Amino acid sequence: MRDNPTLARKLLSVVCVALLSWYLDWHPPIIHDLHESVPILYTFSGQAPQNPTLDPILFGELPWFANFEMAQMTRYGMPGVWTHAFVDAWSPGYLGFMASNHNGMLRMYETFGNAGATTMKRKIEGESELSRDMASRQWYRPLPPHKEVEWSMRNNTNYMETGVLSALQLAAAFPKVILENFYRKSLNAVAAGRKGPPFGYVIPAGQQDMTRVALVVGVLQTRGIEVGQAATEIKAKEGNFPAGSFIVKLDQPYGRLAKILLEKQAFPDPNLRTYDDTGWTMGIRGSQSPCATREGPCFRCRRSTVSDRC
Amino acid sequence: MRFTGTEKSVLSGLMKNPSEIKERPAILDVPAGRGRVIMFATNPCYRWQNHGEFNMLFNAILNYNDLPVR
């Protein structure tokens, strides 16, 4: 399915919310995401910048699968399959990131596409800014494509299907590793939240515009993140927060995603490019930003889980 | 309206060389014929993401009649 990354990021489409709901019910360890933009098949390996809040295991899994798919398709004599050198792993935006944001893993391809069903002559380089230097041999593209090809949607589908079957072949060969990785990443997420700081975030009650707070809490809940509400005042080094304030503890399986959405983004290197870093710092959407707390014990206050969807 | 520029204007994420836009126009109100054109230097509804800027866009659309006559 072709996703819309920007909609997936903020769950602004009904389809994205339905898919996420399905994911959180069934927990498939891998989601596959098929796109069209560049020749001939780029398989997502997660180059820099990588989001350091996500589990390091993920950044081992991504090139593991990408390299296998490239090796298989190169073996089948399918030129123009490559890894790295395209999408970074900073933004949590693609639809497939629903899995990697929740301790699973994603596969994602970019393929050449076609303007219609007709077979046509296509130039590998020069059709768009994105396709510059796509016919060169590189360490990440050992079998470069021909400079000009007779291309149809059938070719495109063949490439995607062969890639997907290769990914399934690898998944079928190592099911226990993939499942154990999923378990380990979830366990690590809870441990990372206990290690802190921060140990969690407080979204203060009594803000001028609580509808904004409700929007943020609702997005967190829809993503499966547990949110609590303090029954008494919270006393922390960072300040005192009134009863009714929302608490997002990070020692939970999806605590890493909660941190990514609530913290201020500290982009690692301005010389690196990113696909997109717009609009997913959800915390600052409240009229008062959530407060990261360096004190775990402050969350021992009496609290209830927010069960109603905001 | 002008850009603040400088690192202080970056609430979160990446902005390359923010000082380059310091004091440069962010929103322009320009007379054109019998009307006015409100021009945004950035895309105020970029891929439905920058909700913080939506209010400025809708303010311009809904309250166009209240723009001062020049």
Side-chain angles (χ1 to χ4, degrees), chain B residues 43-61:
Chain B
N43 183 345
C45 53
Y46 173 70
R47 301 178 101 179
W48 206 359
Q49 292 191 43
N50 43 349
H51 286 188
E53 293 179 52
F54 283 16
N55 283 354
M56 293 191 289
L57 177 65
F58 284 110
N59 187 39
I61 294 170

Side-chain angles (χ1 to χ4, degrees), chain A residues 179-234:
Chain A
L179 199 58
E180 282 173 15
N181 281 357
F182 175 67
Y183 170 73
R184 175 55 60 183
K185 282 182 279 187
S186 304
L187 206 63
N188 288 351
V190 176
R194 285 196 183 136
K195 201 172 161 195
F199 293 94
Y201 289 81
V202 179
I203 306 174
Q207 299 196 29
Q208 193 179 7
D209 185 353
M210 288 303 283
T211 62
R212 294 190 186 187
V213 174
L215 187 142
V216 175
V217 171
V219 165
L220 297 175
Q221 288 179 305
T222 306
R223 291 179 181 273
I225 294 163
E226 293 168 23
V227 181
Q229 193 165 22
T232 55
E233 186 183 52
I234 304 168

Side-chain angles (χ1 to χ4, degrees), chain A residues 6-7 9-10 12 264-265 267 270 275-278 281 285, chain B residues 10-16 46-52 55:
Chain A
T6 57
L7 294 182
R9 194 170 302 138
K10 284 212 289 209
L12 291 173
K264 180 182 171 181
Q265 282 185 56
F267 198 76
Y275 175 75
D276 205 337
D277 76 339
T278 314
T281 306
R285 291 176 50 78
Chain B
V10 184
L11 294 181
S12 180
L14 169 68
M15 187 171 184
K16 290 188 98 166
Y46 173 70
R47 301 178 101 179
W48 206 359
Q49 292 191 43
N50 43 349
H51 286 188
N55 283 354

Side-chain angles (χ1 to χ4, degrees), chain A residues 5-36:
Chain A
T6 57
L7 294 182
R9 194 170 302 138
K10 284 212 289 209
L11 301 172
L12 291 173
S13 89
V14 175
V15 175
C16 288
V17 173
L19 273 167
L20 179 58
S21 171
W22 167 82
Y23 177 83
L24 293 173
D25 278 345
W26 289 91
H27 298 285
I30 302 174
I31 285 185
H32 208 314
D33 204 338
L34 300 173
H35 297 234
E36 294 174 0

Side-chain angles (χ1 to χ4, degrees), chain A residues 289-308:
Chain A
S289 297
C291 179
T293 176
R294 303 176 66 81
E295 277 188 287
C298 73
F299 291 130
R300 290 197 192 123
C301 66
R302 208 151 47 80
R303 65 179 186 277
S304 58
T305 303
V306 181
S307 53
D308 292 334

